[in-house]
C-alpha cells in the first residue's frame, strides 16, 4: 500500500497538530508519498520525521529552491556539469517515497517524468564531446523508479557514447522499495557491467533503514563486484546523536558499504527544521572520529550556498604556523610540532 495524502495517513498514524496543518503548495513542491516499506517502519521517530510532512515546511522562509545553483550549471535539461571531471544526470523526478529533506525539491516530484529518448541522446552526445568527464552520477529523483527496459536503454545509450565513464548508481530504493531489486534487474545490469565499473551510492540515514530486505538486495550488487558507498544527510531529530551515527556507520561497514559523505543540510526552502547547526555538526564529527575507524568514518561535507561546491568540514587540528614550524593539537588535546623544511 502506498500513501499519497494526509487523509490516508490518518488511518495509520495519530498525526500531530504540526503534521495535520501541512499544506502541499506550489512554493514547496515536494508531494506526500510514503511507500509500503517506509510505512512498515513509520513507528520509528527517525523514519517518521523523514517522510511525514509538517507545517514547518510551509513556514520556512530561509533559503530558496536551488541553493546549489544547479540550474545555472545545467548543460542540457537533465545534465548538470558543475565540476570539470564529473557530471550528474537527472534520470527522473520520481521516487518511491519523498524525503522531506530533499535538496532537489525544485525538480523532485514535479511530474516531469523519466528522461525522454531525446534527452538521453542529448546527454550522451555531450558526454561524447566532453572527454574530461570521467564519472557520471545517475540520479534524480530515484534511478530505480525507471523500468528495467528504460534503464537498459539509458545504460546502452550512455555506454555506446563513452565506454570509459564510471557510472554511480544513486538510489534510495534500498530503503523505500527494496523489492525493486529483482533478479531480472540484476540480469539487466550485468549486461552493462563491463569496461568502467559501476559504483552503488546509497542513502541510508539511520541504522533501522538497513533492513533484511535491503541487505538481500545489496548482495546482488556484491555478487556483481560493484563497490558500495553511502551518502547520509545529517538531520535534526533523525540521526544527529553520536550513538545513532556510530550504529549507522558500523552497520554500513558490516554490509560492505563505505560511509562516504555525511552531508550538512543545504539551505533549501522548507527544510530548516531538519537542519543541524554547524557547531553541533562539527562537535559530532570530532566525536565520531574518536569512535570510528578511518574506513568507517564519513567525510562531513557542506555544499556551499550559491553553487560554491562541496567543502569538507572537520575539527581544526592546526594550532599555529610559524615560518618553519607547524603546531597541531592531538585528538587528546596535547600539542605536537612538525617542521616546514628539513
Ligand atoms: C556532489 C556532486 C557531484 C559529485 O561530487 P563528489 O564529491 O565527487 O562525490 C557531481 N556533480 C554534482 C552536480 C554534485 O552536486
Ligand atoms: S530519494 Fe533522493 S531525490 Fe528522492 S526525495 Fe529522497 S532525497 Fe530527494
Amino acid at each position: 500500500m502506498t500513501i499519497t495524502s494526509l487523509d490516508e495517513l490518518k488511518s495509520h498514524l495519530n498525526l500531530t497538530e504540526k503534521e495535520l496543518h501541512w499544506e502541499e503548495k506550489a512554493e514547496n513542491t515536494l508531494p506526500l508519498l510514503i511507500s509500503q516499506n517506509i510505512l512498515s517502519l513509520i513507528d520509528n521517530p527517525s523514519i517518521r520525521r523523514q517522510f511525514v510532512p509538517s507545517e514547518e515546511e510551509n513556514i520556512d522562509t530561509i533559503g530558496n529552491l536551488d541553493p546549489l545553483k544547479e540550474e545555472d550549471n545545467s548543460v542540457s535539461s537533465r545534465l548538470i556539469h558543475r565540476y570539470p571531471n564529473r557530471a550528474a544526470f537527472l534520470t527522473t523526478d520520481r521516487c518511491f517515497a519523498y524525503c522531506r529533506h530533499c535538496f532537489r525539491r525544485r525538480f523532485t516530484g514535479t511530474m516531469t517524468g523519466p528522461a525522454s529518448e531525446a534527452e538521453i541522446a542529448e546527454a550522451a552526445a555531450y558526454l561524447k564531446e566532453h572527454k574530461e568527464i570521467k564519472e557520471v552520477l545517475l540520479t534524480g529523483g530515484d534511478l530505480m523508479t525507471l523500468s528495467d527496459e528504460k534503464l537498459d536503454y539509458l545504460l546502452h545509450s550512455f555506454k555506446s557514447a563513452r565506454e570509459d565513464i564510471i557510472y554511480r548508481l544513486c538510489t534510495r530504493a534500498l530503503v523505500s522499495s527494496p523489492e525493486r531489486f529483482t533478479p531480472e534487474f540484476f540480469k539487466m545490469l550485468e549486461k552493462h557491467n563491463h569496461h568502467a565499473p559501476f559504483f552503488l551510492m546509497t542513502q541510508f540515514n539511520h541504522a533501522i533503514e538497513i533492513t533484511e530486505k535491503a541487505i538481500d538486495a545489496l548482495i546482488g550488487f556484491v555478487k556483481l563486484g560493484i563497490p558500495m558507498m553511502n551518502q547520509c544527510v545529517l538531520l535534526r531529530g533523525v540521526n544527529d546523536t553520536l550513538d545513532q551515527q556510530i550504529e549507522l556507520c558500523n552497520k554500513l561497514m558490516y554490509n560492505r558499504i563505505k560511509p562516504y559523505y555525511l552531508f550538512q543540510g543545504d539551505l533549501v526552502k522548507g527544510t530548516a527544521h531538519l537542519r543541524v547547526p554547524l557547531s553541533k555538526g562539527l562537535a559530532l564529527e570530532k566525536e565520531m572520529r574518536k569512535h570510528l575507524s578511518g574506513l568507517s568514518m564519513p567525510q562531513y561535507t557542506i555544499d556551499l550556498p550559491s553553487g560554491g561546491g562541496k567543502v569538507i568540514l572537520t575539527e581544526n587540528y592546526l594550532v599555529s604556523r610559524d615560518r618553519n614550524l607547524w603546531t597541531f593539537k592531538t585528538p587528546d588535546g596535547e600539542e605536537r610540532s612538525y617542521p616546514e623544511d628539513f
Side-chain angles (χ1 to χ4, degrees):
M1 169 155 201
T2 303
I3 304 282
T4 57
S5 70
L6 280 183
D7 268 347
E8 287 173 299
L9 196 54
K10 274 184 209 159
S11 59
H12 295 270
L13 278 180
N14 260 332
L15 296 178
T16 65
E17 282 298 303
K18 279 183 178 170
E19 289 166 345
L20 280 168
H21 288 131
W22 171 76
E23 280 176 65
E24 188 174 340
K25 291 180 182 171
E27 254 289 82
N28 175 10
T29 47
L30 206 62
L32 166 56
L33 181 62
I34 295 177
S35 61
Q36 176 66 52
N37 203 57
I38 298 295
L39 196 61
S40 72
L41 300 169
I42 204 92
D43 288 337
N44 181 290
S46 293
I47 298 291
R48 181 171 180 150
R49 210 167 148 72
Q50 288 182 81
F51 293 97
V52 177
S54 146
E55 171 186 42
E56 287 168 297
E57 289 182 35
N58 300 129
I59 57 185
D60 177 13
T61 53
I62 311 164
N64 59 65
L65 286 177
D66 187 17
L68 309 185
K69 294 261 182 273
E70 290 194 326
E71 303 217 315
D72 295 353
N73 286 306
S74 294
V75 291
S76 78
S77 60
R78 299 279 183 157
L79 195 68
I80 305 165
H81 192 185
R82 167 72 184 76
Y83 302 101
N85 57 354
R86 51 210 195 277
F89 184 70
L90 305 182
T91 57
T92 177
D93 65 304
R94 309 285 166 81
C95 304
F96 290 104
Y98 291 117
C99 314
R100 306 323 302 176
H101 55 269
C102 184
F103 80 96
R104 202 169 274 144
R105 56 211 290 146
R106 67 165 202 289
F107 173 74
T108 314
T110 50
M111 297 299 162
T112 335
S116 66
E117 292 189 5
E119 286 169 320
I120 292 171
E122 190 187 4
Y126 187 88
L127 295 177
K128 199 167 183 170
E129 278 287 293
H130 291 263
K131 296 281 191 286
E132 73 275 18
I133 296 177
K134 307 293 179 206
E135 288 180 34
V136 169
L137 289 70
L138 299 177
T139 182
D142 198 315
L143 170 78
M144 293 304 300
T145 60
L146 302 182
S147 66
D148 287 348
E149 292 70 34
K150 188 89 191 182
L151 283 172
D152 191 22
Y153 180 84
L154 174 75
L155 292 172
H156 177 75
S157 305
F158 281 10
K159 288 221 163 195
S160 315
R162 284 276 302 278
E163 58 182 30
D164 58 331
I165 289 180
I166 291 172
Y167 289 96
R168 297 191 202 174
L169 309 173
C170 308
T171 181
R172 187 136 159 83
L174 291 145
V175 182
S176 52
S177 190
E179 64 282 357
R180 171 67 185 85
F181 298 91
T182 59
E184 292 72 35
F185 163 74
F186 285 112
K187 211 172 275 171
M188 182 281 298
L189 192 61
E190 190 171 16
K191 281 200 311 185
H192 302 283
N193 193 24
H194 49 77
H195 303 300
F198 286 119
F199 273 67
L200 177 70
M201 309 302 288
T202 60
Q203 184 195 145
F204 289 109
N205 291 331
H206 191 283
I208 196 173
E209 297 173 9
I210 311 174
T211 58
E212 284 305 314
K213 283 190 206 165
I215 292 170
D216 284 348
L218 289 169
I219 305 263
F221 290 95
V222 172
K223 283 187 180 154
L224 291 181
I226 296 176
M228 308 188 293
M229 315 282 266
N230 190 62
Q231 307 195 132
C232 172
V233 187
L234 181 58
L235 297 166
R236 195 201 303 181
V238 172
N239 59 10
D240 56 348
T241 69
L242 181 62
D243 287 350
Q244 286 169 325
Q245 282 297 327
I246 288 177
E247 195 191 353
L248 171 64
C249 292
N250 285 332
K251 195 164 179 183
L252 287 166
M253 286 293 284
Y254 267 92
N255 289 289
R256 299 184 173 86
I257 304 172
K258 158 86 184 102
Y260 176 47
Y261 279 142
L262 172 61
F263 281 121
Q264 173 66 17
D266 296 318
L267 294 181
V268 181
K269 198 165 183 173
T271 62
H273 60 296
L274 293 167
R275 285 197 294 271
V276 172
L278 278 170
S279 58
K280 189 170 173 192
L282 275 162
L284 181 63
E285 189 268 354
K286 184 180 174 187
E287 285 308 304
M288 283 169 67
R289 205 170 279 282
K290 290 182 189 167
H291 289 84
L292 291 167
S293 72
L295 257 188
S296 55
M297 179 72 199
Q299 289 184 306
Y300 181 36
T301 301
I302 184 169
D303 224 324
L304 292 171
S306 305
K310 291 185 182 72
V311 164
I312 293 173
L313 299 171
T314 182
E315 168 76 8
N316 181 19
Y317 297 94
L318 181 65
V319 175
S320 63
R321 190 203 157 169
D322 296 340
R323 194 206 291 237
N324 197 29
L325 203 64
W326 297 75
T327 302
F328 299 92
K329 67 174 181 198
T330 69
D332 301 327
E334 294 173 27
E335 285 194 5
R336 296 287 191 277
S337 293
Y338 189 98
E340 165 74 12
D341 264 329
F342 314 104

